[in-house]
């Protein structure tokens, strides 16, 4: 009958350890038995030699040997030397081997069974020999009377007695071995019970397969995954997390606080409470972060998931812009309808010349807007953005001004500078400026565009209250806003887009008393700026102060924003 093979890894280890402990204990028992047997025989030899030598040197023995009847005195003496803990027999004999004593009195007078030649010559002989009492370890030594051997003494211990002693020792040894085996089995069971809890009863093949699946899933998912230990060090990181956070390959084991991440993101990773779908910004990305502590009886760390929200955030911004354009067009369509009714009413009243003059003025203002923007900004993305932002600013009662020396020709921007980043930078700066300028004295936003020194310059100034000097750096952090919760991501996205393009952004006071943001984006060697008209370089360098020399952008309907 074949025993079932343990399935779990803990069961397999328990069986292996039980067999190993049994083999070790059995081997030790066999080794101890052989050692004890050899030591018992050696002890018996020493004991019989010592007994025979002591008897041969006894004066009482020599006196008895000299008497006419040695047996009478020597037999009681020999019997007294044998016992449970001593030798089995003591035989005192004449030099020719005739016994004077024997444990069995009827054998007295017979010949000694064993070798006595060496003793007769004055030596001591030790051997294992089968005598009348069975196999025994015996020693024969002479009794000297001055220089003559007058008797021989033989002392011995039977092999049965030696074996009995060994059996008692082996019994005790086996008892200790059984106790050691039981203790080892209990200890092995306890250890493997804990192992079974940690491995959830899975065997080695299942654990190996789970590890393979785990590795495949870890590197297959596009989302970032971090696992932190109880000391908030990185225990596991997948390829997506390395890419999203810009981590080196050897980051495992590094504390989160030493990764150089933004403070808000570091605080989220170090938090002990769960976080869900929090928005955090790095130098190049917008990340959605969720953390969940590992459940257990001890502090085991946390699991962190990261999702790239950069493109979605950019699309959301574009959608907001499109929504704003739609609202502006709806308002302008309403205004156009009012003006068309005005023209129709003038015609019905018979005042045709005034109707033509009114309609012509509206067309000239609308065409002036398009001509002004198209002439100054040849880049279609920037031109369309300015036209749309002008309409939005007009609806909110803010005048959007493009400086007179602003100029960006088509084809200047390098292919490596995405149009989406331009929309993010300029669109968010204008929206932020319009928010700040709304309701202020003058309600003006000034925009300056230009190229100089291999750089694209974007400068946006407003007439709002400005930014306190202490908040000059905090204004670019996510969540900083003067318009309540849920805002404060626009300028953070601007700095992120500028960083991706390899440029820089500066904040300072504007010419109208508000804030002025200056963005410098490198054009690269492949996109050298074309020759600029006279004063263009000067205007780009001082765009923030040229607001009074610029031309106000009229609304699409034809009226300047006020």
């Amino acid at each position: 009958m074949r025993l079932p093979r343990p399935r779990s890894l803990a069961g397999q280890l328990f069986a292996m350890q039980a067999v190993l402990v049994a083999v070790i204990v059995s081997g030790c028992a066999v080794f101890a038995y052989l050692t004890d047997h050899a030591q018992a025989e050696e002890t018996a030899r020493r004991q019989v030699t010592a007994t025979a030598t002591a008897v041969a040197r006894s004066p009482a023995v020599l006196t008895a040997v000299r008497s006419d009847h040695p047996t009478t005195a020597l037999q009681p003496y020999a019997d007294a030397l044998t016992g449970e803990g001593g030798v089995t027999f003591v035989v005192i004999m004449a030099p020719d081997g005739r016994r004077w004593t024997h444990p069995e009195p009827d054998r007295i007078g017979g010949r000694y069974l064993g070798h006595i030649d060496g003793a007769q010559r004055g030596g001591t002989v030790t051997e294992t020999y089968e005598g009348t009492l069975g196999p025994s370890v015996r020693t024969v030594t002479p009794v000297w009377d001055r220089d003559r051997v007058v008797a021989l003494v033989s002392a011995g211990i039977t092999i049965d007695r030696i074996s009995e002693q060994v059996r008692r020792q082996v019994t005790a040894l086996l008892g200790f071995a059984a106790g050691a085996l039981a203790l080892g089995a209990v200890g092995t069971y306890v250890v493997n019970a804990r192992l079974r809890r940690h491995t959830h009863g899975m065997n080695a093949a299942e654990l190996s397969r789970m590890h393979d699946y785990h590795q495949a899933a870890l590197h297959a998912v596009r989302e970032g995954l971090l696992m932190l230990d109880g000391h908030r060090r990185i225990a596991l990181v997948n390829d997506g997390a390395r890419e999203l956070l810009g981590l080196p390959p050897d980051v495992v084991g590094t504390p989160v606080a030493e990764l150089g991440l933004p403070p808000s993101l570091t605080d989220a990773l170090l938090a002990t409470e769960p976080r869900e779908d929090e928005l955090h910004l790095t130098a190049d990305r917008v990340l959605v972060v969720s953390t969940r502590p590992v459940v257990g009886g001890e502090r085991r760390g946390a699991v962190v998931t990261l999702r790239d929200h950069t493109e979605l955030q950019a699309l959301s911004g574009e959608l907001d812009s499109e929504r704003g354009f739609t609202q502006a067009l709806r308002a302008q369509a309403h205004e156009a309808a009012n003006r068309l009714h005005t023209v129709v009413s003038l015609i019905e009243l018979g005042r045709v010349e005034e109707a033509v003059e009114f309609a012509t003025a509206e067309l000239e203002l609308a065409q002036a807007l398009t001509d002004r923007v198209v002439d100054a900004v040849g880049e279609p993305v920037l031109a369309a953005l300015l036209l749309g932002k002008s309409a939005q600013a007009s609806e909110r009662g803010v005048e959007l001004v493009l400086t007179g020396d602003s100029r960006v020709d088509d084809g200047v921007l390098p292919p490596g500078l995405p149009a989406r980043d331009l929309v993010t930078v300029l669109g968010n700066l204008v929206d932020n400026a319009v928010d700040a300028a709304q309701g202020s004295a003058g309600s003006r936003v000034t925009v300056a565009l230009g190229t100089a020194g291999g750089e694209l310059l974007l400068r946006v100034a407003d007439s709002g209250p400005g930014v306190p000097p202490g908040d000059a750096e905090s204004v670019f952090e996510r969540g900083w806003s003067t318009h309540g919760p849920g805002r404060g991501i626009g300028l953070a996205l601007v700095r992120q887009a500028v960083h991706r393009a390899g440029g820089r952004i500066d904040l300072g006071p504007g010419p109208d008393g508000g804030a002025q943001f200056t963005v410098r984006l490198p054009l690269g060697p492949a996109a050298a700026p074309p020759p600029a008209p006279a004063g263009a370089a000067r205007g780009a360098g001082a765009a923030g102060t040229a607001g009074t020399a610029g031309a106000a952008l009229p609304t699409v309907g034809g009226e300047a924003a006020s």
Side-chain angles (χ1 to χ4, degrees):
M1 180 179 178
R2 185 178 179 182
L3 295 177
R5 174 175 170 268
R7 294 190 58 190
S8 68
L9 177 62
Q12 294 178 17
L13 289 179
F14 174 75
M16 293 172 58
Q17 291 173 349
V19 171
L20 181 61
V21 170
V23 169
I24 292 176
V25 172
S26 301
C28 291
V30 171
F31 176 77
Y33 171 77
L34 296 176
T35 303
D36 287 350
H37 195 276
Q39 289 178 349
E41 289 189 358
E42 181 63 26
T43 301
R45 287 187 179 93
R46 289 197 298 267
Q47 186 175 0
V48 297
T49 300
T51 302
T53 302
V55 171
R57 294 177 181 178
S58 173
V61 172
L62 183 58
T63 301
V65 168
R66 291 172 179 173
S67 67
D68 294 335
H69 301 285
T71 300
T72 303
L74 294 177
Q75 181 66 26
Y77 176 70
D79 291 341
L81 295 176
T82 61
E84 187 69 24
V87 297
T88 305
F89 64 87
V90 175
V91 176
I92 304 173
M93 68 195 84
D96 59 358
R98 183 169 50 86
R99 302 187 190 98
W100 287 333
T101 65
H102 195 277
E104 298 177 356
D106 57 342
R107 295 184 181 272
I108 296 174
R111 291 289 178 177
Y112 176 78
L113 300 180
H115 300 89
I116 61 174
D117 298 343
Q120 289 173 338
R121 293 191 296 269
T124 298
V125 178
T126 302
E127 64 178 347
T128 300
Y129 194 86
E130 185 171 357
T132 59
L133 300 179
S136 61
V137 177
R138 56 182 63 187
T139 295
V140 182
T141 188
V143 177
W144 292 89
D145 185 6
R146 296 181 182 176
D147 56 353
R148 184 171 61 91
V149 175
V150 296
L152 301 176
V153 177
S154 176
I157 299 177
T158 60
I159 297 299
D160 291 340
R161 179 173 293 185
I162 297 175
S163 299
E164 180 64 26
Q165 294 177 356
V166 172
R167 278 195 295 272
R168 288 197 297 267
Q169 294 175 355
V170 169
T171 301
L173 175 64
L174 291 178
F176 284 115
L181 182 61
L183 183 61
V186 171
T188 302
Y189 178 80
V190 171
V191 171
N192 285 276
R194 178 165 182 158
L195 178 62
R196 187 180 297 109
R197 288 196 302 270
H198 287 296
T199 59
H200 301 286
M202 291 185 290
N203 59 29
E206 292 171 338
L207 289 174
S208 177
R209 185 163 55 250
M210 176 174 289
H211 175 269
D212 295 339
Y213 289 156
H214 170 270
Q215 290 296 320
L218 182 67
H219 296 288
V221 295
R222 296 182 58 188
E223 289 76 11
L225 178 63
L226 282 175
M227 293 188 181
L228 309 179
D229 61 16
H231 300 286
R232 287 302 188 269
R233 295 173 301 194
I234 294 182
L236 192 65
V237 57
N238 71 341
D239 299 336
R242 282 194 177 95
E243 180 181 358
L244 293 177
L245 297 179
L247 302 178
D250 56 347
V251 74
V252 175
T254 304
V256 172
E258 299 178 7
L259 296 179
L261 301 176
S264 62
L265 180 55
T266 300
D267 293 341
L269 298 182
L270 294 177
T272 56
E273 70 278 1
R275 303 287 185 93
E276 187 172 355
D277 293 341
E278 287 190 356
L279 204 63
H280 293 275
L281 274 71
T282 64
D284 300 316
R285 299 180 185 274
V286 180
L287 302 178
V288 178
V289 180
S290 297
T291 66
R292 181 74 58 181
V294 178
V295 178
E298 58 185 10
R299 186 182 180 189
R300 298 186 180 180
V303 176
V304 181
T305 58
L306 307 168
R307 299 197 306 273
D308 192 357
H309 203 61
T310 307
E311 295 185 1
L312 183 60
Q313 189 66 41
L315 292 175
S316 177
E318 293 180 8
L319 181 61
D320 291 340
S321 297
E322 294 295 336
R323 186 179 295 112
F325 295 158
T326 302
Q327 293 175 353
L329 289 175
R330 184 181 297 111
Q332 290 173 5
H334 180 72
E335 290 295 323
N338 290 336
R339 291 161 185 159
L340 182 60
H341 291 159
T342 301
V343 172
V344 171
S345 298
L346 288 174
I347 292 175
E348 289 178 348
L349 293 174
R351 309 181 68 169
V352 177
E353 294 182 358
E354 294 181 6
V356 172
E357 182 179 356
F358 179 80
T360 302
E362 290 293 326
L363 291 175
E364 289 178 351
L365 287 175
Q367 188 62 38
L369 168 67
T370 304
D371 293 343
R372 174 72 185 93
V373 173
V374 171
D375 180 65
V377 183
E379 180 62 38
V381 174
L382 295 179
L385 181 64
L386 286 174
L387 288 173
K389 293 301 180 183
S390 173
Q392 289 180 340
S394 175
E395 291 298 323
R396 299 176 62 178
V398 177
E399 181 184 11
L400 183 64
V401 176
L402 180 66
T403 58
D405 50 5
S406 294
R407 184 173 185 82
V408 177
D409 293 329
D410 190 12
V412 171
L413 302 181
L417 185 61
R420 177 177 294 176
D421 284 350
L422 283 178
V423 171
T424 298
V425 173
L426 185 58
N428 280 288
L429 288 179
V430 172
D431 288 341
N432 187 72
V434 170
D435 287 341
Q438 189 175 11
S440 64
S443 299
R444 178 190 299 269
V445 172
T446 304
V447 179
L449 307 175
T451 57
E455 292 180 327
L456 172 66
L457 276 71
L458 308 176
R459 181 167 294 151
V460 179
D462 60 73
S463 60
V467 177
D471 295 335
E473 183 63 26
S474 302
V475 71
F476 294 104
E477 297 179 359
R478 175 186 171 273
W480 191 96
S481 176
T482 58
H483 298 280
R487 304 288 297 275
I489 195 173
L491 291 179
L493 293 176
V494 169
R495 184 169 67 172
Q496 190 181 77
V498 171
H499 181 270
R500 280 198 301 267
R504 61 188 180 91
I505 181 171
D506 300 319
L507 171 62
D512 296 326
Q516 176 176 277
F517 293 87
T518 303
V519 176
R520 302 175 185 272
L521 302 176
L523 296 177
R538 176 188 58 80
T545 60
T548 57
L553 288 177
T555 61
V556 177
E559 293 180 359
S562 59

